[in-house]
Amino acid sequence: MTINTLAKGGCHREQMACFRKMEKVIVAMQDPDMGMKMRNQRLLITVIPHAMTGHDIIAWLTHKYRISEEESLHLGNMLVKYGYIYPLKEPRCLVLRPDESPYRFQTPYFWTSTRWPASELDYAIYLAKKNIRKQGELMEYEKERYSLLHKRINHTWDFVVMQAREQLRASKQRRKADRIVLECQEQAYWLINRPPVRSITLYCIQLYCNSDYYKREIEACRKALGRNRVKSSICLEGFLKYSEQYLNHDPIMQGCLPSNPWISDDTAHWTMNAEIVPVPTRLRVERWSFSFMELLNDAMGRREFMTYLEKEFSAENLYFWQACEDIRHGESSKIVEKVEDIYKNFLAPGAARWVNIDSKTMDKTLEGIKRPHRFVMDDAQMHIYFLMKKDSYPRYLKSDLYKNMLAKAIVPQETKKSVFPFMRRQRHSSPSPAQTATQAAEEEGLAKGAGANSAAGSHF
Amino acid sequence: IPMQTYFILSYTQVKIQSPPTPEMATQEVPLNETLAHLKTESETLKSKLEEERAKLHDVELHQVAEKVEGLGQFVMKTRRTLKGHGNKVLCMDWCKDKRRIVSSSQDGKVIVWDAFTTNKEHAVTMPCTWVMACAYAPSGCAVACGGLDNKCSVYPLSLDKNENLAAKKKSVAMHTNYLSACSFTNSDMQILTSSGDGTCALWDVESGQLLQSFHGHAADVLCLDLAPSETGNTFVSGGCDKKANVWDMRSGQCIQSFETHESDINSVRYYPSGDAFASGSDDATCRLYDLRADREVAIYSKDSIIFGVSSVDFSLSGRLLFGGYNDYTINVWDVLKGTRVSILFGHENRVSTLRVSPDGTAFCTGSWDHTLRIWA
């Protein structure tokens, strides 16, 4: 569904798929063996055949699709709303009632999808018939439309009136029950499909399928054909492992301690898990062991890891990585200056924080620095990242530093449910990140460079 | 109950006499010979690709998941209702502080809320209607939004009550058709956009400079999502051409493409590990695509679910997939077993946007009924 359709008012592309699906349901409902049991319904003094009650519709949907009654009611309502089933009592109220109210299937001739688009001419004939049959039977909006149509398609008005008279004459020759059924069907159709007052709307579907497009597609396909793929059995196991590993960390699946703030109105969970806290929670520290990314993405985790690296005299790796990230995600205007800084601090011979990169990567990077761009540090950054990941990170997880952190970590107590459950807690507001940032900026004056306001920095 | 109305439509070049089939809807202008050749070659290669992809598909996800415990009864309720928009809510995004959100609507209003207290903290009126895209900056100090104005603009959030936010507005992205989605990358300094003009683009916020553009969709691009990967260099987009494309942000190349949906793809979202992504489409299905297996690995659908999916997102562990649908409901899927766990009612019109909060404690939905709801 694109805005082009929405802005210009047409939804038919999106709707056609829905109509097909609804029609499948309707056809199943009318299946001679497994479909609905229909009976005759009394409407005033006439007996209408092949009708059903709202209650029956819901029961059938509930049984067939193995869903709840609430969902059946919802689905049934859609079928009524789009005209596949229409009510015999109160025909203008397109709602499915879960009671003995009678309903009928709309004939396929009158399905929206069959007769799309509803033409003004047909609508005019319908209104003319109503007008002729019983003067003054038209509703307010119908009267308005009728006069509007009279103006718009005035040139064919004789045809309209003639057709209306013909159709009325033909219908008089039908049996009364049939006539009523047909009138109901027709009325139901027009309730839903009456053409709007606005005139023809142009609808352009943009398709950018020129030769460039196909050339690109062909190139992409060729590349894709040569790609290395992994067997499904291996990939899919990965999903199982991931979901299992993170199960306890998923508040919607397992709840969270001390309580979910949205449910209990208590923000303790957020306070305990703020960006920087004196003692982190156990779950949080455990998560650092799931992957190197998890450790680096957590400000406290990163800080701890830095402390560890300092002890190992390899902190320059993490500083370097951070500086590279800052270039990649920072302002275009600062790239040149930042690249120079990195060279001075990390790559130049005798640099204060010289990083140990293999000679091939180093040569390539030094060459690239001559014409600095956003991704010039990528190779070097990758090299150092994987160095930390394969070497320092696993050792960190085995270190006392980490183990102590884990041992000290808090396991919050679950908040006992309030004795007075109907008393709602006060919901306190929190300082806006916009505010703390403004204050921080004011306090610090000029930012100190890469470290202070790093790309991923936040103040929560 | 809104009455269904139909407009008499005609294509610019083709006059329609009979009801359109979905195929007719994408009917192209008659092709010249070289174009026809290219098209055939492209289609042949595509079938070959599908054959190759099928070769390594030795098991289905739900089969692998048989050993996993099923999910029990699911209870999620509306915990907050945010009222204040005067028209259809089209988009929303969470702040990293886990409680604030930004939302945009058809009447041009962009509102920043503290969803926890339901207080409105900022409001901006855009000069255009149909603000289809909005995003919160990672720092929490700015929001980006755009729509029918074909632009993406960044508004720094000021706490000075007297200050008019619109005054500090910065125009960043310029497309030749409407803006359908936008997202900051890892910092406040870069924005990724998708547009009705069929392209995606990466922009430098400070200068408004175009850093990279992404061509490859055959029609409007409706959605995008950044990959949570280690190297942070890719993103996925979905469009009206029924394709989901994975892009390299550095080179602008499309590195993977998937075309199994039967209708417009309205939403794409990465699985938390970054190894897969889910999509939601007008064909009423959600699908899961594995990037290493290079194929679709699951379809989430049910015969009783008839209306299109507007928006999808995963729970924190990736076990659940939430879908907002055009029939006003939210369906919750067990990603591994492929079954529908729950259906949530509450909105009174189509659900247009759905996002899980950054810490996974809740998810937020926005709807054409003018409200947003927080569910937990």
Side-chain angles (χ1 to χ4, degrees):
Chain A
M1 172 211 80
T2 89
I3 183 64
N4 286 326
T5 56
L6 288 174
K8 289 161 188 173
C11 302
H12 68 280
R13 266 179 76 230
E14 175 199 332
Q15 310 246 288
M16 284 314 278
C18 300
F19 289 148
R20 300 271 173 261
K21 293 195 170 79
M22 280 193 275
E23 282 153 25
K24 264 179 94 175
V25 176
I26 292 291
V27 166
M29 282 174 95
Q30 294 178 76
D31 182 85
D33 301 317
M34 303 300 288
M36 292 200 53
K37 300 280 168 277
M38 298 199 264
R39 20 182 152 161
N40 294 341
Q41 288 286 335
R42 220 165 242 295
L43 195 67
L44 297 176
I45 49 167
T46 324
V47 172
I48 312 277
H50 304 305
M52 57 228 169
T53 65
H55 173 81
D56 286 344
I57 294 172
I58 290 169
W60 188 89
L61 289 170
T62 306
H63 175 78
K64 162 88 177 176
Y65 294 109
R66 285 184 277 257
I67 52 184
S68 66
E69 275 194 18
E70 192 182 9
E71 194 175 351
S72 299
L73 183 60
H74 176 81
L75 178 56
N77 255 305
M78 289 295 159
L79 295 173
V80 172
K81 186 164 164 256
Y82 286 92
Y84 289 96
I85 294 176
Y86 61 89
L88 290 170
K89 275 200 206 131
E90 288 181 66
R92 291 182 191 284
C93 185
L94 296 177
V95 165
L96 180 67
R97 290 190 212 283
D99 53 22
E100 300 305 301
S101 307
Y103 294 83
R104 272 188 114 245
F105 290 109
Q106 178 63 285
T107 175
Y109 177 76
F110 276 122
W111 285 354
T112 310
S113 56
T114 318
R115 293 181 56 85
W116 186 95
S119 80
E120 286 186 313
L121 195 63
D122 285 338
Y123 192 44
I125 294 169
Y126 167 69
L127 290 176
K129 272 200 298 188
K130 255 187 138 180
N131 201 31
I132 294 170
R133 202 169 53 219
K134 218 188 213 177
Q135 280 277 357
E137 195 184 66
L138 292 179
M139 313 258 326
E140 266 316 306
Y141 75 88
E142 285 173 331
K143 283 188 191 147
E144 280 172 36
R145 290 292 179 80
Y146 193 51
S147 42
L148 262 163
L149 282 166
H150 184 84
K151 281 195 210 115
R152 274 169 61 81
I153 55 175
N154 192 276
H155 50 287
T156 61
W157 207 251
D158 287 340
F159 173 73
V160 169
V161 174
M162 188 185 77
Q163 268 293 306
R165 290 214 174 102
E166 252 316 298
Q167 289 185 15
L168 279 174
R169 199 179 57 76
S171 80
K172 279 209 177 81
Q173 296 179 346
R174 290 199 187 92
R175 292 187 311 136
K176 183 158 189 207
D178 289 343
R179 197 182 338 139
I180 293 186
V181 162
L182 220 63
E183 275 169 19
C184 284
Q185 289 171 344
E186 207 182 8
Q187 180 181 46
Y189 174 78
W190 287 113
L191 262 172
I192 290 168
N193 292 291
R194 63 180 189 270
V197 182
R198 265 168 281 177
S199 57
I200 295 174
T201 311
L202 282 179
Y203 173 81
C204 319
I205 302 188
Q206 324 252 25
L207 281 184
Y208 307 97
C209 292
N210 52 18
S211 60
D212 276 338
Y213 168 77
Y214 284 118
K215 284 192 188 136
R216 263 199 303 261
E217 288 272 284
I218 289 166
E219 185 54 41
C221 269
R222 290 222 175 95
K223 271 208 198 116
L225 278 165
R227 156 187 222 108
N228 275 333
R229 285 180 194 84
V230 183
K231 259 200 300 188
S232 288
S233 43
I234 299 174
C235 303
L236 301 177
E237 279 291 333
F239 294 129
L240 266 63
K241 284 205 181 77
Y242 191 93
S243 304
E244 202 186 349
Q245 188 178 45
Y246 282 85
L247 179 62
N248 289 335
H249 299 253
D250 187 341
I252 292 177
M253 292 282 295
Q254 295 286 86
C256 61
L257 298 171
S259 65
N260 187 320
W262 300 104
I263 300 176
S264 65
D265 288 347
D266 176 21
T267 56
H269 174 76
W270 286 332
T271 319
M272 286 184 192
N273 286 291
E275 179 141 313
I276 305 287
V277 285
V279 188
T281 62
R282 192 183 176 87
L283 274 180
R284 181 176 181 176
V285 181
E286 267 175 21
R287 211 165 149 176
W288 299 347
S289 69
F290 289 177
S291 73
F292 190 36
M293 273 296 281
E294 288 284 0
L295 179 65
L296 287 185
N297 281 342
D298 183 338
M300 273 195 79
R302 200 191 282 204
R303 201 179 62 175
E304 285 295 301
F305 188 57
M306 184 67 92
T307 311
Y308 176 73
L309 290 179
E310 304 266 9
K311 287 210 172 111
E312 298 243 306
F313 303 106
S314 55
E316 68 276 0
N317 289 337
L318 188 54
Y319 283 118
F320 176 68
W321 182 83
Q322 280 177 173
C324 292
E325 280 288 278
D326 196 37
I327 291 185
R328 265 193 10 177
H329 301 296
E331 301 102 308
S332 292
S333 57
K334 300 222 172 101
I335 290 178
V336 174
E337 158 193 343
K338 286 177 182 173
V339 170
E340 263 184 49
D341 277 342
I342 285 189
Y343 176 73
K344 260 195 316 208
N345 292 323
F346 300 98
L347 298 174
R353 284 179 168 155
W354 190 79
V355 283
N356 195 357
I357 306 176
D358 68 282
S359 53
K360 193 166 157 222
T361 313
M362 180 66 97
D363 288 342
K364 192 172 170 207
T365 308
L366 291 177
E367 192 54 45
I369 288 182
K370 293 180 186 160
R371 280 198 219 99
H373 60 91
R374 187 173 294 273
F375 305 109
V376 72
M377 291 294 164
D378 270 15
D379 287 345
Q381 182 183 5
M382 218 60 113
H383 179 91
I384 294 294
Y385 177 84
F386 283 112
L387 193 66
M388 290 192 286
K389 178 178 172 180
K390 294 265 150 69
D391 184 35
S392 315
Y393 173 61
R395 282 188 290 114
Y396 167 67
L397 293 179
K398 296 197 186 102
S399 71
D400 287 335
L401 192 65
Y402 178 71
K403 290 200 174 123
N404 290 339
M405 193 58 140
L406 198 57
K408 272 192 315 176
I410 305 176
V411 180
Q413 284 275 41
E414 185 177 357
T415 308
K416 294 225 177 4
K417 288 229 161 64
S418 172
V419 179
F420 304 100
F422 50 84
M423 261 179 65
R424 209 185 71 177
R425 277 177 208 267
Q426 252 235 308
R427 293 170 182 168
H428 297 288
S429 56
S430 70
S432 165
Q435 177 171 51
T436 51
T438 328
Q439 283 174 351
E442 282 166 9
E443 281 161 25
E444 284 182 27
L446 289 168
K448 273 205 184 131
N453 292 324
S454 77
S458 49
H459 304 267
F460 314 125
Chain B
I1 297 177
M3 287 298 171
Q4 197 59 46
T5 55
Y6 281 87
F7 292 82
I8 298 172
L9 297 154
S10 67
Y11 297 97
T12 45
Q13 279 149 30
V14 180
K15 210 152 193 125
I16 299 300
Q17 303 295 347
S18 52
T21 59
E23 294 74 43
M24 277 180 93
T26 53
Q27 195 169 66
E28 298 129 41
V29 190
L31 307 167
N32 65 45
E33 256 199 52
T34 9
L35 210 54
H37 259 288
L38 285 172
K39 183 164 187 255
T40 322
E41 192 183 347
S42 164
E43 277 162 12
T44 318
L45 280 173
K46 276 191 192 167
S47 340
K48 244 181 150 181
L49 182 57
E50 285 315 308
E51 274 174 38
E52 279 302 309
R53 280 171 163 171
K55 281 183 187 162
L56 286 175
H57 190 58
D58 50 349
V59 71
E60 295 292 332
L61 181 52
H62 64 85
Q63 290 172 305
V64 173
E66 263 160 27
K67 57 193 174 197
V68 178
E69 227 180 274
L71 296 171
Q73 255 296 347
F74 217 75
V75 179
M76 282 190 88
K77 294 194 220 166
T78 301
R79 304 290 173 174
R80 302 285 191 279
T81 306
L82 305 177
K83 297 188 184 165
H85 276 294
N87 212 316
K88 307 178 170 74
V89 177
L90 302 174
C91 187
M92 64 79 46
D93 190 20
W94 286 91
C95 175
K96 282 213 159 78
D97 77 347
K98 309 155 192 170
R99 51 188 283 172
R100 283 176 170 78
I101 64 171
V102 61
S103 60
S104 63
S105 78
Q106 185 195 347
D107 62 359
K109 281 263 178 12
V110 176
I111 301 179
V112 174
W113 317 69
D114 177 351
F116 186 71
T117 57
T118 72
N119 292 338
K120 300 184 207 23
E121 294 190 342
H122 307 271
V124 175
T125 307
M126 292 279 284
C128 68
T129 56
W130 288 95
V131 188
M132 297 183 71
C134 63
Y136 224 121
S139 68
C141 300
V143 292
C145 49
L148 281 190
D149 58 351
N150 300 357
K151 296 197 208 132
C152 184
S153 310
V154 175
Y155 292 84
L157 295 176
S158 161
L159 286 155
D160 181 352
K161 292 295 171 194
N162 296 322
E163 182 154 13
N164 180 11
L165 281 185
K168 287 253 170 80
K169 159 177 154 177
K170 194 182 199 127
S171 235
V172 174
M174 276 286 288
H175 279 278
T176 54
N177 207 320
Y178 67 91
L179 190 83
S180 54
C182 64
S183 172
F184 285 88
T185 61
N186 286 46
S187 76
D188 285 18
M189 302 298 145
Q190 288 174 279
I191 289 190
L192 193 57
T193 58
S194 65
S195 164
D197 66 12
T199 71
C200 299
L202 182 65
W203 310 84
D204 177 68
V205 173
E206 194 190 35
S207 62
Q209 191 195 6
L210 172 68
L211 297 174
Q212 185 63 259
S213 70
F214 306 89
H215 297 261
H217 277 288
D220 309 25
V221 187
L222 297 179
C223 51
L224 59 85
D225 192 33
L226 280 148
S229 76
E230 288 182 303
T231 46
N233 269 335
T234 60
F235 74 95
V236 62
S237 65
C240 287
D241 56 357
K242 312 174 200 169
K243 288 203 296 192
N245 289 340
V246 180
W247 306 88
D248 179 325
M249 277 169 69
R250 273 193 60 167
S251 63
Q253 295 298 311
C254 173
I255 50 186
Q256 267 173 300
S257 187
F258 303 91
E259 198 172 346
T260 62
H261 270 292
E262 293 163 16
S263 190
D264 300 358
I265 297 178
N266 296 315
S267 175
V268 284
R269 195 72 64 207
Y270 271 94
Y271 183 81
S273 71
D275 292 326
F277 68 89
S279 59
S281 159
D282 277 347
D283 67 6
T285 69
C286 302
R287 294 173 196 239
L288 187 67
Y289 299 90
D290 187 306
L291 297 170
R292 295 157 306 169
D294 189 35
R295 56 172 291 127
E296 172 195 288
V297 293
I299 305 181
Y300 306 99
S301 70
K302 211 166 147 54
D303 280 343
S304 58
I305 296 178
I306 288 173
F307 287 79
V309 190
S310 63
S311 195
V312 295
D313 204 354
F314 286 98
S315 72
L316 192 137
S317 65
R319 180 66 192 270
L320 300 171
L321 180 68
F322 300 102
Y325 287 71
N326 292 340
D327 68 353
Y328 324 168
T329 63
I330 295 142
N331 283 293
V332 186
W333 300 90
D334 180 333
V335 170
L336 302 178
K337 291 194 180 283
T339 53
R340 202 270 307 268
V341 172
S342 182
I343 179 169
L344 304 174
F345 299 96
H347 277 298
E348 291 163 19
N349 206 323
R350 176 191 288 228
V351 177
S352 54
T353 179
L354 186 155
R355 295 298 294 264
V356 173
S357 75
D359 63 353
T361 47
F363 69 86
C364 178
T365 52
S367 162
W368 281 17
D369 68 6
H370 307 188
T371 69
L372 294 121
R373 284 173 181 245
I374 308 284
W375 305 76

